[in-house]
């Protein structure tokens, strides 16, 4: 048996070297699997963070399908201990990654509880997320469960994940127990949230003055009399001339959040455990009205989570690991329905209406206590908050990971096999208990009963439930590995088969399966080579086109181990490394789109066809979007070169990398030969080519000055992208072309001030489809044809590579700790426009929405020289509101993302109550932002749900 | 050693069990493929029939179909009550390749593809030969109709014949000429008119394309081709052909004018309707266009004073004509009954109360809410809700051809050929009689004795305007007559109504919206810029820069 296996290894091409070395039976260091395990297991204990005193960096880091020793690493990766995430008072883990990794760019477009996850971009692409080696999402994993977060960036790191690794990988490992006495850690924390960048809404008098002005600008009659404006101003008649500060009427200044976490860990030689229980509650800002409702209407998010990770050595050589984890997430929000609007409901609708309801729209409450309103405004904002029922949302997921690892040293030293299975389910439902309400237009009659007109009805409460997502996933992996050291030669090899079946709703499953291999060799820990590959298939592609081969190779040389470098005593590592390889992305495969199919509509659908008398519905069938029989994955060819330096007993760490990722076959719509004469929609095709390249630097230093331990970790990324090919439509002028420019480059007109008078308009290029008036934005006529039109659009804003950076620093002195995280970005373009920026925007018909303080600086003949905003207009203005450099702003910012101050009570104070540790902490997020942007938050630009600052304090007890 | 073997076996089992969960379907069977749509063993051709239905879907939807507005708000008949509706670009000159408000280019080519697919595949299905002949003729009719929709907007467009393009086929086609397009459409009509269902159909086949529909399409096309836009040299033969085509429909003998002008638009079975796109019963016309002072009603369409002025008096005389009996202080009294059937004016009874479009009235309250800009709301197509409490669902089929148009086509064409002869008079009189205009002692329904050819032309133009108002006729008529540059170059008018203390009203006509029409380009639509951008062989219509 033993002989047989050896021969098969030779046959596999691992070479004589292996065999020869094995026969010698010489190995310097045992690659015992428990060695790997132990390193990771330490993470649970390290939750007990007593100080920033220097510890050697973890010697083993997670990679796909296993771990590697830090010294072996050739791939481009970054790793972070989960404990570094604990200082962030955030609900979604993404937000704790700001500023932590070179190459990882985060953007949080909304702060709505439960939906505030930041979008994640790794070297320009949206990475795959693995939790404990299984593709999953980041949804609501809490930081206490996380042992480490890694980002895997280059081909060497991710080609083993074949056509799923093309956009990079975020790998999260959860905490495990270690051989240690039982440890209980309990954390309670509570925070106060405050909204940032509130719009300055105009009062009713200023609003009506500006509205009149806008009407006159548009050639219409003003609708507010001077008398009315005066009444708005002096507030003498709040019923007929209301001036309601909506923001402060429906939103509270503060909202709370709370989190409790309890975890146990420990174990012995036979078995180890980590158990975590977590509760999070995050409230929204809406006011409540307990008199009206027996239920809560404010939006909120509550999360209950648990995780049990168990490792048991069934025999000396057989390790069983079992993870069971689950979460329940419950949300709530006001019912708020408005049948006429774009499908917005609840919180989103109210925040949207807040930007669209002027202070003078209607009184919040009439003198008789009824909701105010009128023919035009039938959706009283306050009523939407407290009188429209509520909408609970429930979702839950449950997962089980099970693995067995058998060491087979009896067969061959260093050989092991591992089997792993995982099952995950997710279910989400939305419950609608909203209701409609009536509003009343209340006109007091002197000396008589008021005149009251009712709009809408007080409807009964809805009671319906929608299951919006239900999915399940089965993952299985079988792996055989071989780790041996033969003198100066070291080999690590593994081969695995894995399959992932994901079923969403009633759709057929997405099946990914792969045969993947990794081979590492080093000589004397000086010269390294690593080969990885994946032969991977997916069932959503056409038969015979489902499988692809994705190889990558890496080389490394650690100069510090060379004899000629031994005089540099303080140098621990000086490693040059490079990798090149191919991976791909199959996310765009769609639902069997290679097959032409037809859509069928029932006789009662909106696509029914009616014939006969009486008109009778008939079903219809139409050709669905054209099939793409040539569909395949998007390919990524990645080059990565890096330099790692470690010095002064590893206290100093530095790493520099250059990458060049060439993507091809990106799925997009064709631009030429694309006429709609074809008579049907075209599918996406593998057309686009883009290059993402850049430089990433990370540096860190741990120091000690007297009794002060301190550290600084910094990183910076220069992230460049370029559209190499996109089958661009015919563009008659070079400045209109997108090819060659950064991905997502904004295009628009070049604004050139405001038209100051009619003569200037007459002497300027005519605007196609618009009649300019003084105060309108003037644009440059790029092609000089005397007409402003689509030919005058060019790339606007910065075309330079985006640069982003982060800094984490901390110190401790005895029991005191301080840490902070900064993150920043420059060369970022952001359009600041939409309902929070334009004047009088309203959903649906007409333009009668709110206006803001910055509209006071609009163009008028009197303010022509100082105006910062075009003349006002009611409704949409196709000239002023079109995409142009006027609305495109420099979105650079530098933010103090997080600060924590903590104090651990001295041991002698607490030991008598059997406490090992009591740590009191105060932390906060989004504490300070430096940005050239005015009015808006650099991330939540559109104020859909405003960004917030959180102050949080809590206590951690360990015993 | 044995133990190890057992363990390996056990581990393998775990993995094998996990990997055996493979589903049995390898491709989704819930979807309909081509073999099922054109099923070679289904004698009933259930799916194939539905595929033909899918082709019918591409017929125009009518009413508020253009971004929530009637196409007619691009003419002098109405303005949109909404601010900045881009449909009004047709009237304000703000139309360009990037801004084509009624862009049906893709919709019609989609219809053409569906027709071609049906034609190429239906022979696989074992339905009866008679049915297949009828269906194929229907598909060819629809295809011809879709081309007509394209040609009336853009003039010559690429003809694709029976071709069904594959993903990688060259679709960089050149435009054919107007004549090539119309010749193709007409040859198709000739080929299929007798293969279609006859013009008298059973109840269940109402709404399908039939011979009447084909001949009515031919009549309209020949009228368009004879009109000044496409007949600059006033070739009288073209007018003769147009008159003959209308006569061909009249001679079918199956059609006539309905008796009730209002009920016509809520009917499903009416001898006047030649072809329509049926719809489920609904109240969307009422909801979209009803006056705003009621619980429901968005009042989107504001008919203009220009259109109001086009309606004669009940005696058939125009208001400004002597003996008309028009009273400017009571301008809505004694008008052509079609006026009240088309337009809702101040004091019209509606939903249990009079409409109030005086300033500050319930239906014109002022302020920033969308409301009538002219003092009028649309009445046409709505049910008889004068004395109901609320709206209810009704037939609102989209009538694409009706007999009154054929009479107007005939009168117009014959007047060009022979002048105001009796047949011309008879056609107009029939329409006016049905409208409820009094015959008068001379039995001429207000038509002056001794009317000249030019006067008759004017009268027919006006009659067509009011009879067919909001049926998407005038938009094309002012183009083919080449009168858009006159009627769309003066501000449109509305009525300002003040309620006096004694309950009477004062009426003042005001300019309410500008109108600009550039005769050098606006007679045709600009080709959508997306077509120019993707097809190097596509040429833009004259006058448009891109």
């Amino acid at each position: 048996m033993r002989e047989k296996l050896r021969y098969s290894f030779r046959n596999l091409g691992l070479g004589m070297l292996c065999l020869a070395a094995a026969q010698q039976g010489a190995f310097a260091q045992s690659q015992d699997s428990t060695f790997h395990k132990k390193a990771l297991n330490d993470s649970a204990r390290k939750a007990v963070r007593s100080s920033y005193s220097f510890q050697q960096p973890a010697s083993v880091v997670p990679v796909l399908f296993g771990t590697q020793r830090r010294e072996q690493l050739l791939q481009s990766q970054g790793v972070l201990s989960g404990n570094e995430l604990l200082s962030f008072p955030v609900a979604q883990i993404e937000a704790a990654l700001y500023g932590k990794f070179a190459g990882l760019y985060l953007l949080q477009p909304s702060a709505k509880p439960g939906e505030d996850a930041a979008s994640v971009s790794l070297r320009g692409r949206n990475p795959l997320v693995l939790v404990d080696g299984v593709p999953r999402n980041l949804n609501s994993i809490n930081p206490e469960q996380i042992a480490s977060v890694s980002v895997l960036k280059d081909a060497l790191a991710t080609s083993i994940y074949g056509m799923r690794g093309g956009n990079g990988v975020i790998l999260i490992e959860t905490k495990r127990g270690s051989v240690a006495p039982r440890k209980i850690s309990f954390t309670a924390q509570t925070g106060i949230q405050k909204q940032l960048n509130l719009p300055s809404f105009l009062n009713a008098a200023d609003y009506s003055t500006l509205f009149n002005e806008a009407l006159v600008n548009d050639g219409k009659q003003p609708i507010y009399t001077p008398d009315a404006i005066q009444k708005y101003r002096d507030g003498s008649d709040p019923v007929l001339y209301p001036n309601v500060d909506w923001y402060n009427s429906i939103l509270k200044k503060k909202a709370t959040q709370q989190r409790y976490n309890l975890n146990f860990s420990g174990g012995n030689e036979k078995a180890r455990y980590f158990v975590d229980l977590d509760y999070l509650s995050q409230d929204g800002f809406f006011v409540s009205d307990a008199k009206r409702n027996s239920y809560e209407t404010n939006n909120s998010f509550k999360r209950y989570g648990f995780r049990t990770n168990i490792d048991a050595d069934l025999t000396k050589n057989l390790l069983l690991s079992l993870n069971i984890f689950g979460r329940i997430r419950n949300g709530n929000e006001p019912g708020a329905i408005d049948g006429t609007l774009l499908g917005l409901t609840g919180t989103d609708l109210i925040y949207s209406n807040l930007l669209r309801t002027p202070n003078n729209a209607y009184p919040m409450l009439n003198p008789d206590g009824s909701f105010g309103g009128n023919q035009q405004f039938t959706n009283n904002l306050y009523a939407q908050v407290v009188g429209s029922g509520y909408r609970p949302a429930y979702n839950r997921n449950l997962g089980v990971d099970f693995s067995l690892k058998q060491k087979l040293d009896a067969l061959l030293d260093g050989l092991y096999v591992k089997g792993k299975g995982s099952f995950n389910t997710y279910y989400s439902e939305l419950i609608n208990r909203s209701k409609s309400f009536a509003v009343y237009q209340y006109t007091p009659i002197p000396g008589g009963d008021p005149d009251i007109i009712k709009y809408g009805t007080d409807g009964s409460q809805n009671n319906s439930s929608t299951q919006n997502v239900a999915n399940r996933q089965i993952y299985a992996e079988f792996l055989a590995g071989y780790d041996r050291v033969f003198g100066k030669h070291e080999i690590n090899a593994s081969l695995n088969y894995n399959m992932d079946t994901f079923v969403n709703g009633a759709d057929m499953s997405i099946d990914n399966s792969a045969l993947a291999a990794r081979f590492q060799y080093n000589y004397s820990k000086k010269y390294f080579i690593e080969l990885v590959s994946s032969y991977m298939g997916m069932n959503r592609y056409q038969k015979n086109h489902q499988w692809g081969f994705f190889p990558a190779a890496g080389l490394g040389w650690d100069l510090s181990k060379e004899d000629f470098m031994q005089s540099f005593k303080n140098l621990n590592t000086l490693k040059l490394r490079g990798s090149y390889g191919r991976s791909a992305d199959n996310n765009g495969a769609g639902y069997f789109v290679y097959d032409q199919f037809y859509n069928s509509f029932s006789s009662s659908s909106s696509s029914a066809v009616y014939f006969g008398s009486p008109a009778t519905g008939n079903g219809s069938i139409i050709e669905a979007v054209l099939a793409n029989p040539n569909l395949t994955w998007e390919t990524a060819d990645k080059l990565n070169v890096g330099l790692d330096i470690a010095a002064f007993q590893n206290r100093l760490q530095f790493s520099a990398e250059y990458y060049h990722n060439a993507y091809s076959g990106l799925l997009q719509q064709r631009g030429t030969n694309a006429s709609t004469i074809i008579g049907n929609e075209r599918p996406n095709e593998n057309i686009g080519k883009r290059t993402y390249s850049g430089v990433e630097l990370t540096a860190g230093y741990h120091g000690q000055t007297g009794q002060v331990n301190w550290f600084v970790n910094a990183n910076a990324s220069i992230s460049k992208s370029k559209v190499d090919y996109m089958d661009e439509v015919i563009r008659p002028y070079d400045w209109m072309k997108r090819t060659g420019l950064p991905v997502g480059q904004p295009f628009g007109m070049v604004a050139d001030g405001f038209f100051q008078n009619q003569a200037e308009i007459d002497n300027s290029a005519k605007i196609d489809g618009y009649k300019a008036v003084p105060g309108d934005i003037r644009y440059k006529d790029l092609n000089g044809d005397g007409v402003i039109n689509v030919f005058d659009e060019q790339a606007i804003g910065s075309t330079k590579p985006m640069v982003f950076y982060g800094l984490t620093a901390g110190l401790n002195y005895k029991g005191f700790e301080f840490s902070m995280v900064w993150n920043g970005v420059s060369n970022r373009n952001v359009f600041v426009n939409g309902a929070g920026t334009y004047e009088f925007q309203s959903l649906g018909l007409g333009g009668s929405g709110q206006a803001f303080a910055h509209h006071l600086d609009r163009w008028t003949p009197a303010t022509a020289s100082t105006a910062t905003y075009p003349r006002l207009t009611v409704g949409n203005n196709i000239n002023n509101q079109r995409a142009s450099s006027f609305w495109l702003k420099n979105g650079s910012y530098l933010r103090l993302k997080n600060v924590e101050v903590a104090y651990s009570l001295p041991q002698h104070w607490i030991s008598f109550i059997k406490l090992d540790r009591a740590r009191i902490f105060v932390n906060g997020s989004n504490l300070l932002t430096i940005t050239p942007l005015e009015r808006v938050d650099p991330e939540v630009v559109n104020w859909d749900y405003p960004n917030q600052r959180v102050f949080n304090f809590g206590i951690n007890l360990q015993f | 050693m044995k133990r190890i073997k057992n363990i390996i076996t056990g581990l393998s089992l775990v993995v094998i069990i996990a990997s055996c969960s493979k589903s049995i379907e390898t491709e989704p069977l819930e979807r309909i493929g081509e073999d099922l749509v054109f099923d070679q063993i289904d004698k009933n051709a259930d799916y194939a029939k539905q595929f033909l239905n899918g082709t019918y879907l591409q017929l125009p939807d009518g009413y508020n179909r253009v971004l929530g507005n009637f196409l007619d708000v691009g003419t002098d008949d109405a303005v949109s009550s909404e601010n900045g509706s881009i449909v009004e670009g047709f009237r304000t000159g703000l139309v360009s390749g990037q801004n084509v408000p009624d862009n049906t280019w893709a919709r019609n080519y989609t219809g053409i593809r569906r027709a071609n697919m049906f034609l190429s595949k239906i022979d696989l299905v074992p339905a009866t030969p008679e049915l297949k002949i009828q269906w194929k003729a229907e598909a060819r009719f629809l295809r011809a109709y879709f081309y007509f929709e394209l040609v009336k907007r853009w003039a010559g467009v690429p003809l694709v014949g029976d071709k069904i393009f594959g993903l990688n086929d060259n679709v960089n086609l050149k435009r054919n000429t107007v004549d090539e397009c119309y010749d193709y459409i007409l040859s198709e009509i000739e080929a299929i008119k007798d293969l279609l269902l006859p013009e008298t159909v059973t109840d269940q086949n109402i709404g399908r394309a039939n011979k009447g529909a084909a001949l009515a399409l031919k009549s309209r096309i020949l009228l368009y081709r004879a009109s000044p836009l496409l007949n600059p040299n006033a070739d009288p033969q073209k007018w003769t052909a147009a008159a003959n085509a209308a006569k061909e429909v009249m001679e079918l003998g199956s059609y006539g004018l309905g008796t009730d002008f209002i009920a016509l638009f809520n009917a499903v079975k009416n001898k006047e309707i030649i072809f329509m796109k049926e719809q489920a019963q609904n109240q969307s016309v009422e909801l979209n266009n009803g006056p705003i002072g009621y619980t429901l009603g968005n009042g989107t369409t504001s008919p203009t004073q220009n259109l109001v002025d086009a309606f004669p008096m009940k005696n058939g005389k125009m208001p400004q004509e002597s003996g008309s009996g028009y009273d400017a202080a009571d301008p809505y009294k004694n008008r052509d009954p079609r006026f009240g059937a088309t337009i809702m004016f101040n004091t019209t009874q509606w939903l249990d109360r009079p409409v109030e479009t005086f300033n500050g009235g319930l239906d014109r309250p002022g302020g920033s809410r969308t409301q009538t800009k002219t003092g009028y709301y649309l009445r046409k197509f709505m049910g008889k809700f004068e004395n109901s409490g609320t709206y209810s669902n009704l037939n609102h089929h989209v009538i694409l051809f009706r007999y009154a148009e054929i009479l107007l086509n005939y009168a117009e064409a014959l007047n060009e050929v022979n002048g105001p002869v009796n047949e011309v008079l008879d056609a107009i009189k029939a329409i006016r009689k049905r409208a409820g205009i009094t015959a008068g002692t001379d039995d001429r329904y207000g038509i002056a004795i001794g009317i000249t050819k030019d006067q008759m032309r004017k009268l027919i133009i006006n009659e067509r305007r009011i009879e067919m108002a909001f049926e998407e006729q005038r938009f094309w008529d002012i183009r083919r007559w080449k009168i858009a540059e006159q009627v769309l170059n003066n501000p449109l008018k509305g009525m300002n109504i003040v309620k006096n203390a004694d309950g009477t009203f004062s009426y003042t006509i005001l300019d309410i919206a500008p109108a600009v029409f550039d005769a050098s380009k606006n007679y045709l639509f600009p080709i959508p810029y997306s077509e120019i951008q993707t097809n190097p062989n596509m040429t833009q219509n004259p006058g448009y820069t891109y």
Side-chain angles (χ1 to χ4, degrees), chain A residues 389-554:
Chain A
Y390 63 115
R391 292 169 187 273
Y394 300 99
N395 65 57
R396 49 192 181 262
N397 48 341
L398 184 69
V400 178
D401 301 339
F402 173 82
S403 82
L404 281 171
K405 182 173 178 182
Q406 171 75 46
K407 286 193 283 180
L408 295 173
D409 295 308
L411 281 179
L412 176 68
D413 283 320
L415 184 67
Y416 61 93
V417 293
K418 193 172 156 190
K420 182 171 179 177
S422 175
F423 178 73
N424 297 280
T425 69
Y426 177 73
Y427 177 81
S428 160
E429 68 182 320
L430 303 171
I431 291 175
N432 180 2
R433 289 186 188 274
S434 64
K435 62 179 184 185
S436 63
F437 52 83
V439 299
Y440 299 87
Q441 186 170 9
Y442 185 100
T443 313
I445 307 285
D449 284 340
D451 183 18
I452 296 176
I453 309 174
K454 178 178 178 180
Y455 296 98
T457 50
D458 285 311
S460 61
Q461 192 166 282
N462 285 304
N463 184 13
S464 64
S465 142
T466 325
Q467 170 193 319
N468 68 335
V469 186
N471 60 47
R472 56 193 186 278
Q473 177 191 26
I474 297 168
Y475 175 87
E477 177 185 317
F478 183 69
L479 180 141
Y482 179 69
D483 299 323
R484 273 300 282 278
V485 177
F486 310 97
K488 294 190 167 181
H489 309 281
E490 182 184 358
I491 286 173
N492 306 95
S494 70
L495 179 70
N496 79 74
Y497 173 77
N498 65 77
M499 52 156 293
D500 182 15
T501 298
F502 184 84
V503 186
N504 192 13
D507 276 1
M508 280 185 59
S509 59
I510 302 174
D511 296 342
N512 280 291
S513 42
L515 194 62
R518 183 190 298 275
F519 172 76
Q520 290 167 268
Y521 168 78
N522 72 70
Y523 178 77
S524 228
K525 294 178 184 149
K526 283 185 209 163
Y527 311 108
F528 299 84
I529 182 165
E530 181 173 351
L531 304 170
V532 300
S533 73
S534 169
Y535 182 64
M536 187 168 191
M538 188 203 202
N539 67 332
R540 295 289 174 91
Y541 296 119
Q542 192 156 25
K543 292 235 156 33
N544 305 323
H545 294 86
Q546 295 183 337
W547 290 80
F549 181 63
F550 306 96

Side-chain angles (χ1 to χ4, degrees), chain A residues 220 375-376 508 591-592 594 597-598 612-613 619 621 623 670-671 673 675-676 678 682 730 768 848, chain B residues 25 27 30-32 50 53 83 94 105 113 167-169 171 203 206 278 368-369 531 533-534 546:
Chain A
K220 293 169 186 150
Q375 199 178 31
Q376 183 177 6
M508 280 185 59
Y591 195 63
F592 300 93
Y594 59 82
F597 67 97
Y598 292 74
S613 167
I621 290 178
E623 188 186 29
R670 63 169 68 187
N673 193 23
S675 168
T676 54
I678 196 170
R682 288 173 177 280
I730 301 164
D768 193 30
S848 51
Chain B
E25 272 177 74
E27 288 186 2
E30 76 268 18
R31 300 192 315 189
I32 303 170
Q50 293 192 27
N53 293 345
N83 286 319
L94 307 184
W105 181 277
R113 179 185 181 89
L167 186 57
N168 292 312
D169 287 345
V171 286
D203 278 3
I206 285 177
E278 292 191 21
S368 56
R369 192 181 174 204
E531 292 296 312
Q533 266 190 322
T534 52
Y546 58 89

Side-chain angles (χ1 to χ4, degrees), chain A residues 74-75 154 156 528-532 552-556 577-580:
Chain A
L74 302 180
Q75 58 184 242
D154 66 344
L156 191 64
F528 299 84
I529 182 165
E530 181 173 351
L531 304 170
V532 300
L555 290 171
R577 56 186 165 80
S579 73
Y580 186 78

Side-chain angles (χ1 to χ4, degrees), chain A residues 419-420 476-478 497, chain B residues 10-20:
Chain A
K420 182 171 179 177
E477 177 185 317
F478 183 69
Y497 173 77
Chain B
L11 277 175
S12 310
L13 270 175
V14 170
V15 174
I16 288 164
I17 289 165
S19 51
C20 276

Side-chain angles (χ1 to χ4, degrees), chain A residues 865-914:
Chain A
S865 55
T866 57
T868 56
Y869 193 89
R871 62 104 180 175
L872 299 178
T873 189
V874 175
N876 294 327
N877 185 303
I878 59 165
N879 183 66
N880 295 340
Q881 291 170 2
R882 74 190 293 175
S884 79
S885 56
F886 186 82
W887 305 108
L888 189 74
K889 306 290 181 189
N890 176 357
S892 305
Y893 71 92
L894 172 64
R895 189 168 258 176
L896 178 55
K897 192 71 193 172
N898 173 243
V899 167
E900 179 171 83
V901 179
Y903 180 65
S904 295
L905 300 180
Q907 200 65 35
H908 58 270
W909 292 12
I910 55 174
S911 52
F912 69 94
I913 48 167
K914 300 228 156 50

Side-chain angles (χ1 to χ4, degrees), chain A residues 535-771:
Chain A
Y535 182 64
M536 187 168 191
M538 188 203 202
N539 67 332
R540 295 289 174 91
Y541 296 119
Q542 192 156 25
K543 292 235 156 33
N544 305 323
H545 294 86
Q546 295 183 337
W547 290 80
F549 181 63
F550 306 96
L555 290 171
W557 178 25
D558 188 350
L559 281 79
S560 69
K561 304 289 187 299
E562 295 286 359
D563 295 341
F564 57 82
M565 297 292 283
Q566 291 314 308
S567 54
F568 297 94
K569 287 273 182 281
N570 285 326
L571 190 66
N572 306 103
T573 306
L574 177 60
K575 192 197 283 175
L576 282 170
R577 56 186 165 80
S579 73
Y580 186 78
R582 167 169 286 194
S583 55
D585 180 32
N586 64 11
N587 265 315
Y591 195 63
F592 300 93
V593 299
Y594 59 82
D595 228 5
Q596 184 65 56
F597 67 97
Y598 292 74
N599 291 333
S600 162
F601 301 100
S602 81
S603 57
S604 55
S605 73
S606 61
S607 288
V609 176
Y610 289 80
F611 294 119
S613 167
T616 308
N618 294 269
S620 66
I621 290 178
I622 61 168
E623 188 186 29
V625 60
L626 287 178
N628 179 1
N630 308 315
L631 182 80
T632 187
W633 46 84
E634 303 176 328
T635 305
D637 291 316
K638 300 182 179 177
L639 169 74
N640 191 84
V641 292
L643 169 71
D644 300 327
I645 298 172
F648 308 111
Q649 295 82 48
N650 289 322
R651 280 177 178 274
L652 174 70
Q653 299 274 345
F654 172 82
S655 172
E657 286 190 298
Y658 167 79
Y659 66 93
H660 184 275
N661 297 347
Y663 286 81
S664 57
L666 295 172
L667 286 167
Q668 58 190 48
Q669 289 280 315
R670 63 169 68 187
T672 58
N673 193 23
S675 168
T676 54
I677 291 171
I678 196 170
N680 199 350
E681 260 179 89
R682 288 173 177 280
N684 283 335
E685 297 176 77
N686 294 96
I687 292 171
K689 291 192 172 86
R690 293 175 183 173
T691 306
Y692 297 85
S693 60
V695 172
E696 292 165 2
L697 304 171
T698 58
Y701 188 78
H702 270 78
Q704 190 174 3
T705 311
Q707 282 184 297
V708 177
N709 296 306
W710 56 273
F711 74 92
V712 179
N713 288 322
N715 64 72
S717 314
I718 301 168
S719 170
K720 189 176 171 187
S721 66
K722 182 165 160 246
V723 176
D724 299 311
Y725 181 73
M726 59 176 278
D727 192 27
E728 194 160 2
V729 298
I730 301 164
R731 302 203 196 269
Y733 298 101
D734 281 345
W735 58 78
M736 297 171 68
K737 293 194 170 125
R738 271 69 170 167
T739 308
L741 288 168
V743 175
Q745 177 68 42
F747 270 75
M749 318 296 288
V750 183
D752 185 21
F754 303 121
F755 284 118
Q756 298 295 356
N757 49 53
Q758 191 57 43
E760 204 178 300
I761 294 169
D762 296 341
N763 294 324
S764 300
K766 295 277 158 294
I767 297 160
D768 193 30
Y770 184 75
K771 227 174 133 187

